[in-house]
Amino acid sequence: MEGSGLRCTGSMENAAESNKRKHSLSEAAQQAAKRWAKVDYGSIPAASDDQALDVSVKSLSGSNPESEIETDVGSIDLERGQTADVIDLTSEDESISTLSAVIDLTIPDTKERKVPSKPRINSPFKMLRSVLYDDETPLSQNLITLKDILGDETLRESILFSFQFDLNFVMDCFHENIKSITIVAQLNTIVPFEPSQGPKARRIFSRLNTIAFPMPPFSCHHSKMIFNYYADNSCKIFLPSSNLSYYEVNLPQQVCWCSPTLPYDPDRKSRQDVPFKVSLLEYLNSYNKREVNQLIKRLKDIDFTPLEDVEFIFSTPNKKVNSGMKMLASFINEGKIVVPPDDGSSTSHFLCQTSSIGASLNRAVPVNMFTHTIIPLCTGILSYNQESNGKKAMIYVPSETVKTEFKSRRIIPYIIFPTKYESLNGPTGSAASGWFHFDYSKDKIGYYKMLAEEFKVFYKQDSKKSADKRNKRPFVPSHSKFYLSSTTTENDTSPNQFKNLNWCIFTSANLSVSAWGKLTMPPRNYEVGILLTKEAQPSGKLKCRSLIDTIYLNNDYQSSDDLTVMVPFTLPVEPYDTRVDRCFCQATDAPQAS
């Protein structure tokens, strides 16, 4: 591991341009970023201090907004969501900001601004608009705000699943016509509502109900999902990559998958075996909670036919339900994820973009979940069948076998994770780095070296595109989680290996055992996502484009009827220069550690 004197990537000109961009933010954005940096790095005690944080939490039932209950949050690192001296990132790592400073939660009203006339892209993926980066960005079909999702005047009921709720921020996003709001959350992950927010917000807050429950240590309710029911009883489903807090929406790059309108079908004339609906109801049933069962009843009257070409993929700690890694294996066994051909002339590309990387699957030898389990499963190197394998299944492939098979089958792995330079040199400095976790500071088995030098898996955003003056988000890391597969041939000349996809998983699940579980062990977390495959599309094609290229650089904007996965990072991706690049590590690189 390189020391604090590590050279930064990019030229001196790039560094100078980065500094210019920091000063080009609006005054309000600069103040917000400074407040965040101050609170994040200075005002909250870390778990290593071994201090219990006693927090007064207001009752969130909605029936009596002014009643209070005292809750002992315990020895939790609210700054990083991690415990000290834990290298296995089994506990998920979302920041919980208990901000005492008054912040401006206003999202600019962009309804009067005209959307520029540009070619249409058929994509359910939108970038979450940031008040810090997009104050001067024109409206775009590829940008969306939480107010767009929750502020529809025809919206009557909204059900929100998340790991964190900043109620002041969330309540401000709703239109007054909303009749009922329900949040499903883990205990002690809700920043309470302040009655001083104003009469409109108080009226909306009075319509709030909560379903809150405890989770065991090293586990969390990490799902991010919104159900909206409208005046005509139709439904839309949203899967944002962000938890529901102001800073998380606006600092790192976030994406939201938006479903088509799902019609109301009280007579249930539609097909009831749409796989998406079957899996979704199975996920909700896994909670084993009466309150959640009430939500299921409403969904049963919804027609899911518009989602026939989408699979719902999830994780649940319920041991009676096959989820996470076992669900991924079942998709492969059923042929929903097609194993690429081993013909000697094709190259298979597998990409994971994540905000957290867990520790080695084996404490004695370096083994990564993506390179040693997920890719081998998806290529037939590792096979699994629940009935025949059970608890005796091999959960990963040894490194020597992986290297041999990858070389002979022409398999290339990619993991997109922010470098130290990217994490500390975005438009808001280090403020966006608080959501990115890969703790290899006490690596004693060569886990990081194996990934960076032996497998050369690490990639970053394109340096030239980050230096482009039109890019409003240079070096900003993405909090989304994408798993992509593509195949290229020797005749392919495009530099973008992921222009045409075999499949895409967009999920809340980071690259960790807590999120995915193992083939012999259920996950520890609740996670939700979707699977898209080219075989399920009417055209037989699944495209992939960069939101950065499309929104800011105008490099990749073209009309297409093919379903397109829009990712928040630049394409093509750029490999780390291991002489100067290394993954950001909270334990050594965060400002409070320097």
Side-chain angles (χ1 to χ4, degrees):
M1 187 186 304
E2 300 180 50
S4 59
L6 177 71
R7 282 167 46 206
C8 293
T9 60
S11 65
M12 294 297 292
E13 288 81 7
N14 288 352
E17 186 61 41
S18 176
N19 288 332
K20 287 181 181 179
R21 283 200 180 94
K22 292 178 188 177
H23 295 293
S24 69
L25 289 173
S26 67
E27 183 177 352
Q30 290 184 35
Q31 291 175 353
K34 289 177 182 178
R35 282 197 298 271
W36 165 260
K38 182 178 180 180
V39 173
D40 188 32
Y41 301 125
S43 66
I44 303 177
S48 55
D49 295 337
D50 197 25
Q51 297 175 342
L53 305 177
D54 295 324
V55 180
S56 177
V57 181
K58 295 180 176 65
S59 171
L60 302 174
S61 64
S63 57
N64 185 7
E66 299 195 6
S67 64
E68 296 186 359
I69 57 173
E70 295 292 320
T71 301
D72 180 12
V73 177
S75 183
I76 299 176
D77 183 352
L78 297 184
E79 183 175 341
R80 298 292 170 211
Q82 294 179 297
T83 55
D85 301 327
V86 177
I87 194 167
D88 182 359
L89 299 179
T90 51
S91 59
E92 286 303 322
D93 33 47
E94 308 291 352
S95 300
I96 306 175
S97 303
T98 51
L99 303 178
S100 57
V102 178
I103 59 177
D104 181 8
L105 300 180
T106 303
I107 297 177
D109 185 1
T110 56
K111 290 186 177 180
E112 295 182 0
R113 297 163 69 180
K114 295 183 179 180
V115 179
S117 177
K118 290 186 177 181
R120 180 185 59 82
I121 294 180
N122 177 21
S123 179
F125 295 93
K126 313 294 181 185
M127 179 93 81
L128 284 182
R129 188 182 183 97
S130 168
V131 298
L132 300 178
Y133 311 130
D134 294 320
D135 55 329
E136 296 180 356
T137 302
L139 273 180
S140 167
Q141 61 167 314
N142 301 299
L143 285 170
I144 195 171
T145 69
L146 198 61
K147 258 188 177 175
D148 293 330
I149 297 171
L150 301 179
D152 191 318
E153 62 182 13
T154 67
L155 180 62
R156 295 297 180 265
E157 180 179 358
S158 188
I159 302 165
L160 306 96
F161 293 68
S162 191
F163 176 68
Q164 181 190 356
F165 293 88
D166 180 347
L167 292 187
N168 292 337
F169 173 56
V170 175
M171 294 301 109
D172 183 63
C173 293
F174 282 105
H175 192 278
E176 275 199 287
N177 288 349
I178 189 74
K179 301 297 182 185
S180 173
I181 305 168
T182 301
I183 63 175
V184 181
Q186 178 178 341
L187 283 175
N188 302 326
T189 62
I190 303 171
V191 179
F193 177 75
E194 298 175 2
S196 60
Q197 290 299 303
K200 175 194 169 185
R202 289 199 298 270
R203 285 194 298 273
I204 292 173
F205 177 74
S206 69
R207 300 159 193 169
L208 173 68
N209 299 295
T210 63
I211 302 172
F213 46 87
M215 291 289 293
F218 305 112
S219 65
C220 69
H221 184 259
H222 198 243
S223 299
K224 301 163 179 55
M225 179 166 55
I226 298 171
F227 297 105
N228 277 352
Y229 295 97
Y230 301 90
D232 62 356
N233 290 317
S234 66
C235 176
K236 285 186 180 180
I237 301 173
F238 300 88
L239 300 183
S241 64
S242 171
N243 290 304
L244 301 180
S245 71
Y246 174 84
Y247 287 111
E248 187 160 327
V249 166
N250 288 290
L251 278 168
Q253 295 190 151
Q254 305 284 7
V255 175
C256 186
W257 174 82
C258 312
S259 83
T261 298
L262 307 177
Y264 180 53
D265 184 27
D267 298 326
R268 301 185 188 178
K269 296 178 181 179
S270 66
R271 288 174 51 190
Q272 295 301 303
D273 60 348
V274 174
F276 189 104
K277 184 174 186 177
V278 173
S279 295
L280 175 59
L281 295 181
E282 185 178 23
Y283 166 76
L284 294 172
N285 274 312
S286 76
Y287 282 84
N288 286 329
K289 296 187 181 299
R290 178 180 55 82
E291 300 94 334
V292 176
N293 291 340
Q294 297 301 314
L295 309 180
I296 296 174
K297 291 181 180 179
R298 183 79 182 268
L299 276 174
K300 288 182 177 179
D301 291 336
I302 297 298
D303 178 6
F304 276 74
T305 304
L307 290 175
E308 282 186 310
D309 59 350
V310 185
E311 296 280 350
F312 185 76
I313 185 169
F314 64 89
S315 291
T316 173
N318 190 321
K319 296 180 180 180
K320 297 180 181 180
V321 179
N322 281 340
S323 67
M325 195 65 69
K326 290 183 180 180
M327 195 172 191
L328 177 63
S330 71
F331 284 150
I332 297 167
N333 291 337
E334 295 166 10
K336 294 178 178 179
I337 291 179
V338 177
V339 175
D342 181 15
D343 56 14
S345 62
S346 301
T347 302
S348 298
H349 308 268
F350 292 89
L351 181 149
C352 168
Q353 178 268 309
T354 182
S355 63
S356 174
I357 301 176
S360 173
L361 299 179
N362 188 314
R363 295 184 180 182
V365 295
V367 180
N368 176 261
M369 176 179 288
F370 187 59
T371 53
H372 292 65
T373 300
I374 292 179
I375 296 178
L377 268 176
C378 295
T379 54
I381 298 171
L382 174 63
S383 61
Y384 174 79
N385 183 283
Q386 171 68 19
E387 295 179 359
S388 61
N389 292 330
K391 294 183 179 180
K392 297 181 180 180
M394 180 187 293
I395 63 173
Y396 63 83
V397 178
S399 282
E400 288 306 314
T401 303
V402 171
K403 284 188 282 188
T404 300
E405 292 288 346
F406 278 18
K407 183 177 180 180
S408 65
R409 297 177 185 231
R410 302 175 67 164
I411 296 170
I412 303 177
Y414 306 70
I415 295 179
I416 299 180
F417 193 82
T419 66
K420 175 184 177 180
Y421 182 79
E422 288 175 315
S423 297
L424 303 181
N425 290 276
T428 55
S430 61
S433 69
W435 290 272
F436 298 88
H437 301 270
F438 180 19
D439 190 353
Y440 53 89
S441 60
K442 299 177 181 178
D443 181 9
K444 297 179 180 179
I445 59 174
Y447 182 50
Y448 184 85
K449 182 178 180 180
M450 178 270 291
L451 289 171
E453 298 180 16
E454 291 183 41
F455 283 85
K456 302 184 186 301
V457 300
F458 290 119
Y459 287 75
K460 61 183 179 180
Q461 300 200 66
D462 185 282
S463 299
K464 292 182 180 179
K465 291 180 179 179
S466 292
D468 193 311
K469 294 181 179 180
R470 296 171 297 169
N471 187 355
K472 302 291 183 65
R473 301 175 179 230
F475 306 115
V476 178
S478 302
H479 186 251
S480 52
K481 292 86 181 169
F482 279 95
Y483 298 79
L484 309 177
S485 165
S486 69
T487 303
T488 58
T489 66
E490 294 174 348
N491 296 325
D492 291 328
T493 58
S494 173
N496 178 13
Q497 302 93 330
F498 295 94
K499 185 176 181 179
N500 299 292
L501 300 180
N502 299 322
W503 52 263
C504 161
I505 293 175
F506 172 71
T507 175
S508 61
N510 280 304
L511 194 58
S512 70
V513 171
S514 286
W516 284 97
K518 299 178 182 178
L519 290 172
T520 56
M521 185 186 83
R524 297 188 182 100
N525 295 351
Y526 289 96
E527 310 275 3
V528 295
I530 53 109
L531 166 69
L532 300 171
T533 65
K534 67 178 184 180
E535 285 81 11
Q537 306 310 315
S539 68
K541 296 179 181 179
L542 183 62
K543 301 290 187 179
C544 185
R545 301 288 182 266
S546 166
L547 284 160
I548 295 294
D549 291 342
T550 302
I551 297 172
Y552 304 108
L553 305 182
N554 298 318
N555 290 340
D556 205 15
Y557 220 120
Q558 54 186 290
S559 293
S560 176
D561 290 329
D562 299 322
L563 188 69
T564 302
V565 174
M566 302 293 283
V567 295
F569 44 87
T570 60
L571 289 172
V573 291
E574 181 178 322
Y576 276 25
D577 180 347
T578 54
R579 297 170 300 176
V580 294
D581 291 332
R582 65 174 173 84
C583 291
F584 174 72
C585 178
Q586 289 282 355
T588 58
D589 299 334
Q592 73 270 21
S594 61

